Amino acid sequence: MSAPPAPKPWPSPRPNAPSTRSSSLMVSELFLSLQGESTFQGKLCAFVRLSGCHLRCRWCDTTYAFSGGRRMWVEEVVEAVLNMHSPLAELTGGEPLLQPGAYPLMESLLSEGLEVLLETSGSIYLDKVPWEVKKVVDLKPPGSGEVEKNCWANLKLLKEGDELKFVLASREDYVWAKELCFREGLFEGKAELLFLVAHGLLSPLEVATWLIEDKLPVRFQLQQHKYIWPAHQRGV
């Protein structure tokens, strides 16, 4: 009888990368789906949803991720992602950066040659996020109820390939986002600007009309996954 194949070794740590061997995370869910938002909308993606969030946005559709989940080692999460056979992976939440293990997890996924996205509220300073990770920063407008939690210093850290997302629930949110982009020079910045409608709270036609009237250089999006599956379905 031939010997069983040797297990696939874990990648050596990247230079200056934190060790993953002592890092664990609380994971709410792991699943394969299509990207519902961002410039990667419609692409196959392996999602890692981490547990925990310090915000309570009015339209949050993942309140189940506020607590609970399964404790997993970084290596276990990486193996689960690789078994989904997707070249694109995203860390989301909750707020994934509340867990220190999110950083070595991103490093390990990058070491496996994956394209890695980070979906974050932007309320946590992003200076420790690996450079190669594409940040999707969900800046909170007044309608979220959490506008005071925005970390404005993050606007200076956005690079080409990063994305700044505004989920809008009212005309007030739209005006706030537009004025912020003008004031901070974001229309001339490197990050892609996304204006989205909070599903069920604002008419997409209204926002499309405003954008056309104002001729704003942004990308308008609907939350695609909520039109494919029920709005509060998990694992999509």
Side-chain angles (χ1 to χ4, degrees):
M1 180 181 296
S2 60
K8 181 179 183 292
W10 291 105
S12 300
R14 299 165 73 227
N16 302 318
S19 170
T20 66
R21 290 294 178 181
S22 60
S23 299
S24 66
L25 310 105
M26 286 298 293
V27 180
S28 177
E29 56 183 351
L30 293 160
F31 59 94
L32 182 68
S33 189
L34 302 178
Q35 266 289 341
E37 302 174 5
S38 82
T39 60
F40 293 84
Q41 189 178 73
K43 286 193 173 184
L44 190 70
C45 184
F47 288 86
V48 180
R49 188 181 303 284
L50 300 184
S51 301
C53 191
H54 57 308
L55 305 181
R56 293 296 182 265
C57 298
R58 182 164 66 94
W59 51 71
C60 181
D61 58 357
T62 54
T63 56
Y64 59 87
F66 288 172
S67 61
R70 173 188 171 195
R71 176 68 63 181
M72 299 179 69
W73 295 107
V74 163
E75 292 88 347
E76 292 181 281
V77 178
V78 172
E79 182 177 16
V81 169
L82 293 178
N83 285 338
M84 296 183 203
H85 302 289
S86 169
L88 180 66
E90 178 179 293
L91 268 69
T92 184
E95 171 48 66
L97 294 185
L98 288 176
Q99 298 195 46
Y103 297 98
L105 174 57
M106 288 185 280
E107 293 281 4
S108 290
L109 292 173
L110 289 168
S111 294
E112 289 288 351
L114 299 181
E115 189 166 17
V116 181
L117 308 180
L118 170 68
E119 176 87 21
T120 175
S121 65
S123 60
I124 295 175
Y125 195 40
L126 301 173
D127 61 326
K128 296 180 181 178
V129 175
W131 179 258
E132 300 93 333
V133 169
K134 298 180 186 300
K135 301 182 288 292
V136 182
V137 182
D138 188 356
L139 210 61
K140 303 304 180 184
S144 69
E146 296 287 10
V147 66
E148 72 282 355
K149 301 290 180 57
N150 288 317
C151 177
W152 302 113
N154 282 330
L155 297 179
K156 303 298 184 183
L157 298 180
L158 298 176
K159 66 181 188 308
E160 189 171 355
D162 290 339
E163 303 180 13
L164 190 60
K165 183 173 74 173
F166 300 91
V167 179
L168 312 173
S170 66
R171 173 72 180 179
E172 178 191 12
D173 285 350
Y174 172 80
V175 172
W176 176 88
K178 178 180 67 172
E179 292 180 348
L180 175 71
C181 289
F182 276 117
R183 185 171 65 250
E184 298 296 330
L186 299 177
F187 291 132
E188 292 78 38
K190 297 179 180 180
E192 182 90 17
L193 302 178
L194 310 175
F195 278 37
L196 287 84
V197 174
H199 186 74
L201 297 180
L202 183 61
S203 165
L205 177 58
E206 283 190 283
V207 179
T209 301
W210 300 335
L211 288 171
I212 294 168
E213 289 175 347
D214 292 339
K215 300 179 178 61
L216 296 188
V218 304
R219 184 188 295 262
F220 176 54
Q221 284 191 329
L222 305 178
Q223 296 172 304
Q224 175 181 273
H225 52 294
K226 296 186 179 181
Y227 290 86
I228 300 174
W229 296 280
H232 291 281
Q233 182 168 323
R234 300 189 187 189
V236 296

